[in-house]
Amino acid sequence: MTDSSSELEPERAAVADACRRLGAEGLLIGTAGNVSVRVEDRVAITATGAVLAELTADQVTLVDLDGKVVGGSLQPTSELDLHLGVYRRYGSGAIVHTHAPMATALSLVLDELPCIHYQLLTLGGTVRVAPYATFGTPELAQSVLEALEGRSAAIMANHGAVTHAPTLDKAVEHALLLEWACGVYQHAAALGRPRALDERQQLAVIEVAIARNYGTTHPVPPEQEGTR
């Protein structure tokens, strides 16, 4: 092992920042959960046993894509195989795994979270619930990898949730969006049977989002400058 504290220093700090934010949002409790970011053949990932809401950069370990520790003094999370599997299969840039309460609650009763709101299309639409397997096992990693096919998020039965994205900021946003959607579903289910968007409605949202470049800011056109 090469204990190089300067290697990927910005990425280690970013992982720690992301953990503290997710902790403040209530998605990470104690030592439960893990976060990582990939830069080429290196992965900066949270150490096992670290209190994530108080994480510091020196509690972020560096591993290569084979799982060998190449930086830091702490053992990586027990879910290392899951993270490496997602990187290998989907070429992601960052992964967030939480024990978020709303997602975990729904994992006890659903096989998938329906596409109840158009924003879920940014995660791929419906969110599958991966069958239960013991944490840290190859069986769990494989189960989640299959649930993530064509998706940016999956729920883990009796466990939590996982999101991935090209960047760490986006993976965190996905985690927050998923938890929000789980909360909306849970509140709606207490009142009745939640309605989901059908395929036609989902396609219409995609068409409008593309046409309007949804999700980005736009300057006021020159011809409208005088009307403000």
Side-chain angles (χ1 to χ4, degrees):
M1 180 183 71
T2 301
D3 189 6
S4 175
S5 60
S6 62
E7 189 176 4
L8 297 191
E9 187 174 354
E11 286 76 17
R12 283 170 146 173
V15 167
D17 288 344
C19 287
R20 293 194 297 270
R21 180 185 177 192
L22 290 164
E25 295 281 357
L27 273 66
L28 295 175
I29 306 298
T31 64
N34 30 80
V35 175
S36 71
V37 63
R38 174 183 175 179
V39 179
E40 297 179 352
D41 62 348
R42 293 288 189 265
V43 175
I45 191 165
T46 50
T48 188
V51 178
L52 297 168
E54 303 171 359
L55 200 76
T56 56
D58 62 350
Q59 294 173 307
V60 179
T61 301
L62 295 184
V63 300
D64 63 20
L65 294 178
D66 292 323
K68 178 184 177 182
V69 175
V70 296
S73 59
L74 300 174
Q75 289 293 317
T77 172
S78 59
E79 299 292 6
L80 177 60
D81 285 348
L82 169 59
H83 286 250
L84 296 180
V86 173
Y87 287 129
R88 294 191 196 104
R89 183 160 173 174
Y90 298 113
S92 309
I95 298 165
V96 169
H97 164 45
T98 72
H99 291 189
M102 293 294 184
T104 304
L106 292 191
S107 82
L108 309 180
V109 295
L110 294 183
D111 293 323
E112 68 176 20
L113 173 67
C115 187
I116 55 169
H117 192 282
Y118 65 83
Q119 280 190 289
L120 279 175
L121 292 172
T122 63
L123 304 180
T126 58
V127 180
R128 303 183 188 101
V129 177
Y132 178 78
T134 305
F135 77 91
T137 61
E139 291 78 13
L140 176 62
Q142 185 60 36
S143 176
V144 174
L145 285 176
E146 292 174 2
L148 284 172
E149 186 68 42
R151 301 290 189 271
S152 297
I155 298 171
M156 306 156 75
N158 302 77
H159 189 155
V162 62
T163 61
H164 67 107
T167 68
L168 182 55
D169 284 344
K170 185 60 68 175
V172 170
E173 288 178 18
H174 286 347
L176 294 170
L177 171 59
L178 176 58
E179 182 68 354
W180 171 81
C182 288
V184 171
Y185 183 93
Q186 193 174 53
H187 290 310
L191 301 173
R193 182 177 180 181
R195 289 191 296 268
L197 299 178
D198 62 28
E199 185 176 353
R200 179 186 60 81
Q201 292 168 325
Q202 293 179 40
L203 289 174
V205 169
I206 293 171
E207 291 172 359
V208 171
I210 293 172
R212 299 186 181 183
N213 200 16
Y214 181 79
T216 61
T217 58
H218 308 280
V220 176
E223 63 271 19
Q224 295 182 12
E225 286 285 345
T227 64
R228 290 187 294 176

